[in-house]
Amino acid sequence: MSGAEKIAVRVTEVSPLNELVTRFKFEPVAGGLLPTFSGGAHTVVEMRDGDITRMNPYSLMSDPFDQTAYTISVRRDDEGRGGSLFMHKNISVGDEITISNPVNLFSLDLRAKKHLMIAGGIGITPFLAQIKQLDRAHGNWELHYSCRSEALGSYVDYLTNTHPNDVEVYYDDQKQAIDLENLLDGQPLGTHIYVCGPKGMIDWVRGKATELGWPREAIHYEEFLAPQPGKPFEVKLAVSNKVIQVGERESLLEAIERAGVDAPYLCRGGACGMCETSVIDYSGNFIHRDHWLEEDEHASGKKIMPCVSRFEGKTLVLDR
Amino acid sequence: MTIQFNDETFRDDYSFRNSERAIKRFPFPFDKDSYMYAVNMEQHRGGPSDSIYEKRFDVDEHYVSEMRDRAMVLADDPLRCQSLPHMTLAGWDLLELIMVSKSEDYPDLFQLHRDGDQWHWINKPLGIDDKFTFMDETTLPYGPMEYITRQTQGDFCVLDQRDDNLWMDAGMITTQADWSLDFDIGMNFFEWHAPVPLAHEKGIFVRALKFLLNIQQGAPARRLNWTMTVNPLLDTSPENYHKWGIQKTELTPENIGSKQHLRVELQTFFRLPRSNGLVFPIRCYLCSFQDLMTSPKWGRRLHRVIRDLPEELATYKGFIDNRPMMLDYLSKFDDGLPTSNGIWPEFDTEPPLQK
């Protein structure tokens, strides 16, 4: 069986925070305690949507040391394939669902003298857990949080009430923006940067920090890609000798799993590298969307990350 | 099954002995009649009853004496145990993992009582009964990693994971096959493996690192590794090479059966939840050639493996000079019959020696 170990949980709270974001709380069905985790970890939530099983990663935002429950926050994506919509519309208190053991691809570097956190929108969630972890160890951190508007500023009140001196909030609709160059310029030696938010924000922070000479190892980022819908296509799986159809609203990985083929995966968001698959033959164009493969690998036509990437063309044969 | 702990030494008079039970459960590392490096990992989730795979941290008849030997090594050389400042959280992770595992797996030997962060740990074989506050170093006599690894067989590398690599940033290393924590501290996975021959060219380390970076909470892994040791020495460190290296020249055709030991490491890998680090316990098992030869299958196979091992590996593992003498001894236990697959001795089904 692929992926991290599974945990059966019951939904014990569903709390709408604003127009777009809802918080879910999970407690173990079997009673007892959930595993501890490290700030920045995510869990993969399984959603049974008719005959499709979707598995989406969500950052754990609760206190990593609290083993009684996990919480996540889900932002509704009306344009996406339906995973977040399913969470918003179909999950209610009392439901039993399956989640994965925590997996961390956005870990704190515990050597850092200071942790400088930069969040955009729903990208705030991993920082909520990291802040809990750092506060317990009396760590030095500072958060710069950019939201669209006060109405959509999830957890702004909580953060500014509990940490008035460490949190700075910026509202797009009030034309407030992070003064990144000055912010980075003023940091003490040994500071690490963490950024989680939309792709544009991650690229902006990474680019600016690199330009200012920050070491690559001191810049951490996490962006989960939701698989995007696209045109249906056909794939031949050479090892299992099956021909499968990838539907408009499912990912290549989901289609492989639907055919009963156990393929490795972990994050399902193009970041961890676990589902890397060799291409045996193709005629057409890849739509690579992952963060894992290098540019030359994308161009080579020899590899694909089926969790987020797609294909358009006549023939695609995979080593799976 | 109750464990009778041996009173024995791993130095000076070498009174170390394996009981019949210990020989039967010895982790013979060769699953076929030849050996080459491979990424030979499997899930670490139990195994046959009373095998060394059964429990998360195997406790055997050598436990009490091994812990005494560790204390002596540390008294002579405190740098065998080091933890860089950012690794304290991983040390607590390790303490929790071992205390929880041992108290669940050996309830007659170890007990853990937890009331919030107030913990009470009882280790009956070593006569320890301590109350402390979890995550408060001032309530333990040592740092958390040192405290628990003074009570657990095997060496422990506690690795930080960052920048798509693993870093040797803490450890308790007193039973090692000729490598030094003090030298390797702070190195990454490729740096500390740099001296290993042949494996780099085969891409072994790139694949092994990828596997290890993806080890997840609740899904530990394991593999076996091996080398050769003259006399049942736990501490074959570079720091003490001047003491034990010379003993390799004391082997004779008369004493090789009792003096030459196959040294096997059970290596396991656990993700540490609070720190996102990885712990890599390396548990050393020793067995003399003459005890191994009580299994006809192991006798046949060990001769074939040692005979056909590439010269680079025999050199790296430090027995190239003694290989001819080993083969003279081992050939007497190889009658050319086929052997069954797998590492287990199969005492009931394997035919006795035909010569």
Side-chain angles (χ1 to χ4, degrees):
Chain A
M1 190 62 204
S2 301
E5 292 289 291
K6 315 277 185 192
I7 310 171
V9 293
R10 181 172 291 112
V11 180
T12 55
E13 270 179 45
V14 176
S15 318
L17 293 184
N18 53 45
E19 197 189 313
L20 290 179
V21 177
T22 296
R23 183 175 64 228
F24 298 86
K25 184 172 182 180
F26 305 133
E27 295 180 36
V29 170
L33 297 174
L34 292 163
T36 51
F37 62 95
S38 47
H42 68 268
T43 183
V44 173
V45 176
E46 293 190 16
M47 293 167 237
R48 309 240 174 245
D49 185 1
D51 59 351
I52 296 177
T53 301
R54 297 187 199 288
M55 294 192 241
N56 285 10
Y58 295 104
S59 295
L60 293 166
M61 52 168 280
S62 44
D63 183 348
F65 283 40
D66 178 1
Q67 295 180 259
T68 61
Y70 290 159
T71 53
I72 62 169
S73 289
V74 179
R75 181 187 184 280
R76 198 180 75 231
D77 179 4
D78 296 321
E79 310 292 307
R81 301 169 320 126
S84 65
L85 276 173
F86 184 87
M87 288 296 291
H88 277 249
K89 287 182 183 164
N90 298 63
I91 298 288
S92 39
V93 170
D95 288 356
E96 286 187 16
I97 59 170
T98 300
I99 64 173
S100 76
N101 250 352
V103 173
N104 201 340
L105 303 172
F106 188 52
S107 196
L108 292 168
D109 189 322
L110 297 174
R111 298 171 308 162
K113 304 290 181 217
K114 179 180 173 186
H115 305 271
L116 177 65
M117 302 166 174
I118 301 173
I122 195 63
I124 191 63
T125 51
F127 294 122
L128 293 167
Q130 290 183 336
I131 287 169
K132 293 250 171 52
Q133 178 178 339
L134 287 171
D135 279 349
R136 187 172 270 108
H138 311 291
N140 181 12
W141 61 270
E142 179 179 311
L143 170 70
H144 295 262
Y145 177 19
S146 179
C147 320
R148 267 203 243 164
S149 63
E150 285 188 38
L152 290 173
S154 308
Y155 306 108
V156 163
D157 291 345
Y158 161 78
L159 284 163
T160 50
N161 286 336
T162 50
H163 300 92
N165 301 320
D166 303 313
V167 176
E168 193 79 44
V169 182
Y170 308 80
Y171 295 113
D172 293 351
D173 67 344
Q174 298 176 29
K175 306 276 179 247
Q176 297 169 340
I178 300 171
D179 181 2
L180 188 59
E181 186 148 352
N182 270 324
L183 178 65
L184 297 184
D185 192 36
Q187 297 304 319
L189 277 178
T191 301
H192 281 241
I193 304 170
Y194 304 82
V195 54
C196 186
K199 182 169 167 47
M201 178 185 229
I202 293 174
D203 291 348
W204 175 56
V205 173
R206 289 177 67 201
K208 181 61 77 179
T210 306
E211 185 189 313
L212 294 174
W214 282 66
R216 182 177 51 85
E217 311 84 67
I219 310 164
H220 311 267
Y221 61 97
E222 178 159 72
E223 181 202 5
F224 284 134
L225 302 163
Q228 294 299 303
K231 288 184 199 156
F233 58 103
E234 187 178 277
V235 185
K236 178 162 190 224
L237 305 177
V239 177
S240 36
N241 195 24
K242 286 182 177 175
V243 176
I244 62 167
Q245 309 295 326
V246 183
E248 186 186 337
R249 302 184 77 79
E250 70 182 337
S251 71
L252 172 53
L253 178 60
E254 286 164 352
I256 293 172
E257 289 167 341
R258 188 166 49 78
V261 176
D262 186 30
Y265 72 86
L266 213 47
C267 78
R268 303 180 83 88
C272 77
M274 200 69 177
C275 70
E276 182 179 304
T277 303
S278 295
V279 174
I280 294 173
D281 189 22
Y282 75 103
S283 161
N285 298 312
F286 291 97
I287 305 164
H288 290 295
R289 299 196 58 253
D290 61 279
H291 296 305
W292 174 256
L293 298 172
E294 302 294 334
E295 263 176 52
D296 56 331
E297 291 176 302
H298 281 159
S300 74
K302 290 181 178 157
K303 301 270 181 199
I304 186 168
M305 308 304 292
C307 64
V308 290
S309 298
R310 300 183 73 88
F311 181 79
E312 282 180 358
K314 270 205 327 228
T315 321
L316 176 62
V317 185
L318 297 179
D319 181 25
R320 188 63 78 200
Chain B
M1 202 185 284
T2 329
I3 304 170
Q4 193 69 45
F5 295 109
N6 302 348
D7 183 5
E8 61 192 358
T9 58
F10 302 86
R11 55 180 72 207
D12 306 325
D13 64 343
Y14 298 113
S15 64
F16 164 87
R17 291 292 176 274
N18 279 312
S19 68
E20 197 178 321
R21 177 179 170 201
I23 296 168
K24 281 196 166 135
R25 71 200 297 280
F26 182 76
F28 189 75
F30 308 112
D31 62 349
K32 50 185 190 293
D33 288 355
S34 62
Y35 174 79
M36 193 49 200
Y37 290 126
V39 183
N40 53 338
M41 304 275 193
E42 60 176 10
Q43 295 285 316
H44 182 42
R45 288 190 199 185
S49 174
D50 197 41
S51 74
I52 58 132
Y53 288 149
E54 188 184 9
K55 313 290 194 193
R56 285 165 281 187
F57 296 90
D58 183 44
V59 176
D60 68 8
E61 64 189 28
H62 308 297
Y63 176 50
V64 175
S65 295
E66 281 190 28
M67 293 301 96
R68 190 167 53 208
D69 196 72
R70 164 157 293 165
M72 291 160 80
V73 173
L74 289 168
D76 288 346
D77 183 1
L79 292 178
R80 301 298 190 87
C81 179
Q82 299 191 41
S83 177
L84 298 182
H86 62 284
M87 297 302 284
T88 306
L89 183 59
W92 285 109
D93 268 328
L94 180 62
L95 176 142
E96 180 179 35
L97 174 68
I98 293 176
M99 286 188 178
V100 170
S101 302
K102 280 190 166 179
S103 59
E104 288 174 359
D105 292 349
Y106 300 93
D108 52 331
L109 301 179
F110 306 96
Q111 288 173 13
L112 176 65
H113 305 283
R114 288 181 283 185
D115 179 12
D117 60 3
Q118 297 305 300
W119 290 29
H120 182 191
W121 168 245
I122 299 168
N123 177 336
K124 290 185 188 166
L126 296 184
I128 292 168
D129 185 319
D130 282 335
K131 291 179 175 147
F132 62 96
T133 305
F134 187 70
M135 301 287 285
D136 181 353
E137 278 185 275
T138 62
T139 59
L140 282 175
Y142 306 101
M145 178 192 73
E146 180 168 359
Y147 177 78
I148 196 59
T149 56
R150 279 176 175 267
Q151 303 178 42
T152 309
Q153 288 166 279
D155 281 349
F156 289 83
C157 305
V158 185
L159 311 176
D160 195 18
Q161 178 160 333
R162 55 176 197 268
D163 209 22
D164 291 327
N165 213 323
L166 294 167
W167 303 80
M168 183 81 70
D169 285 352
M172 166 67 91
I173 309 295
T174 68
T175 66
Q176 68 269 53
D178 205 8
W179 68 279
S180 164
L181 175 68
D182 192 39
F183 186 76
D184 286 359
I185 190 98
M187 287 189 185
N188 71 34
F189 189 78
F190 297 114
E191 290 168 341
W192 84 68
H193 280 120
V196 182
L198 301 179
H200 293 273
E201 293 85 332
K202 288 170 149 302
I204 294 278
F205 290 123
V206 172
R207 275 184 291 151
L209 175 62
K210 199 167 174 176
F211 179 91
L212 294 173
L213 291 172
N214 275 317
I215 283 183
Q216 298 306 325
Q217 279 179 240
R222 68 185 174 212
R223 69 183 284 258
L224 295 176
N225 196 12
W226 67 279
T227 188
M228 292 287 177
T229 303
V230 174
N231 289 325
L233 276 157
L234 285 176
D235 175 24
T236 49
S237 58
E239 286 89 342
N240 279 333
Y241 188 80
H242 59 288
K243 294 181 192 162
W244 60 269
I246 189 79
Q247 296 176 23
K248 291 198 277 184
T249 65
E250 294 165 6
L251 219 52
T252 66
E254 291 70 40
N255 67 20
I256 186 169
S258 59
K259 259 177 134 45
Q260 180 64 57
H261 289 70
L262 177 60
R263 181 190 196 97
V264 177
E265 293 173 351
L266 169 62
Q267 305 183 342
T268 50
F269 306 88
F270 297 81
R271 174 68 54 200
L272 296 174
R274 298 168 197 272
S275 60
N276 201 38
L278 195 73
V279 67
F280 171 25
I282 308 168
R283 171 67 179 278
C284 167
Y285 295 86
L286 293 163
C287 191
S288 68
F289 271 19
Q290 67 190 21
D291 284 349
L292 287 169
M293 296 304 115
T294 59
S295 158
K297 174 178 166 182
W298 289 352
R300 294 177 180 112
R301 180 164 291 169
L302 188 59
H303 173 246
R304 296 166 200 178
V305 168
I306 300 304
R307 181 190 64 200
D308 301 338
L309 195 73
E311 199 157 306
E312 295 96 323
L313 290 188
T315 305
Y316 173 67
K317 290 179 185 287
F319 64 87
I320 187 76
D321 291 344
N322 285 333
R323 177 149 75 168
M325 200 191 299
M326 287 180 184
L327 291 176
D328 282 345
Y329 176 85
L330 293 171
S331 63
K332 287 181 259 170
F333 299 91
D334 186 0
D335 51 18
L337 288 183
T339 53
S340 58
N341 282 332
I343 64 173
W344 309 107
E346 318 288 358
F347 281 104
D348 298 335
T349 50
E350 215 73 2
L353 186 66
Q354 307 288 310
K355 68 179 197 183

